[in-house]
Amino acid sequence: MRFPDIQKLDHLLEKSYPVHSRCIAQLLLQEDEDTIKPVKSKEPEKLNQINDIIGETKSKYNDSLIYIMRLKIHKISESIVKDTTSTEKKNRLRIGEKLNQLMISPITGVPILMAVLYFVLYKFVGVFGAGTIVDFVEGELFGEHINPAIESGVESIVGSEVIRQLIIGLGNGHSS
């Protein structure tokens, strides 16, 4: 589905426009008002010829030219997508789409949600994060290394027992 009339209009236009004259010709065939106005003002002597070409083109088709041109653009776009999309990408999308379908279906989505909640929230955050990591940070890191170093530093600098207890805590100066 070619529009030789676009070429006729393109060759007919002689003045300078903000876009290529072929684009102006396509917009004229679609009877775009924002395009017709500048053409009327820049090339009024060509207006009858332009209208004749538009009328001839319209008489060749049962549907509007806008609709026909958009169908043509759509077919070209589909062809470009088909030619540039590989099957590997399509397969990856299919796996994602299948996983999406599994997760939005209540029959399979609820068990998947429960498994994610169990392993992510309970096992990882609860057991590993709140258990293992907190025990390591409180017990080994602070209890065996950081707190004793701070306590011995404060004891060597501060002479008063009352002030030492305010800084490092109550008791004998060592936390247990």
Side-chain angles (χ1 to χ4, degrees):
M1 188 183 315
R2 292 191 48 135
F3 286 96
D5 298 332
I6 291 175
Q7 290 174 335
K8 288 180 190 175
L9 287 171
D10 183 19
H11 293 302
L12 191 63
L13 300 170
E14 295 176 345
K15 303 295 181 185
S16 177
Y17 295 96
V19 294
H20 193 275
S21 59
R22 184 169 175 82
C23 181
I24 297 292
Q26 289 175 346
L27 291 169
L28 286 172
L29 279 177
Q30 295 176 36
E31 298 180 295
D32 180 69
E33 289 296 324
D34 292 331
T35 305
I36 293 172
K37 288 176 188 175
V39 172
K40 276 183 182 178
S41 67
K42 288 184 176 186
E43 305 187 53
E45 71 283 353
K46 307 249 174 120
L47 200 55
N48 287 336
Q49 287 177 287
I50 291 171
N51 287 332
D52 290 343
I53 293 171
I54 293 170
E56 284 176 34
T57 308
K58 285 171 71 173
S59 69
K60 295 176 188 175
Y61 300 98
N62 294 330
D63 295 315
S64 76
L65 294 179
I66 295 173
Y67 175 71
I68 292 169
M69 289 177 145
R70 288 187 182 163
L71 281 178
K72 178 70 173 168
I73 291 168
H74 181 72
K75 285 182 183 178
I76 292 170
S77 300
E78 281 182 334
S79 172
I80 291 170
V81 168
K82 182 182 173 189
D83 292 343
T84 58
T85 306
S86 72
T87 6
E88 292 175 21
K89 289 180 184 176
K90 288 180 183 175
N91 287 338
R92 274 190 246 140
L93 289 175
R94 287 187 190 140
I95 291 169
E97 289 171 3
K98 286 178 184 177
L99 187 58
N100 181 42
Q101 291 300 320
L102 286 173
M103 288 190 291
I104 62 173
S105 168
I107 294 171
T108 53
V110 171
I112 291 172
L113 173 66
M114 296 311 227
V116 168
L117 289 175
Y118 175 77
F119 286 107
V120 172
L121 287 181
Y122 178 72
K123 285 291 193 182
F124 184 75
V125 175
V127 174
F128 179 69
T132 308
I133 292 177
V134 169
D135 289 345
F136 169 76
V137 170
E138 281 183 350
E140 190 172 323
L141 192 61
F142 277 91
E144 295 177 21
H145 300 290
I146 296 174
N147 287 349
I150 291 173
E151 288 173 359
S152 66
V154 169
E155 286 175 359
S156 66
I157 295 172
V158 179
S160 169
E161 178 69 26
V162 174
I163 295 176
R164 277 199 315 258
Q165 286 180 359
L166 286 173
I167 294 173
I168 58 175
L170 299 175
N172 62 1
H174 297 285
S175 61
S176 47

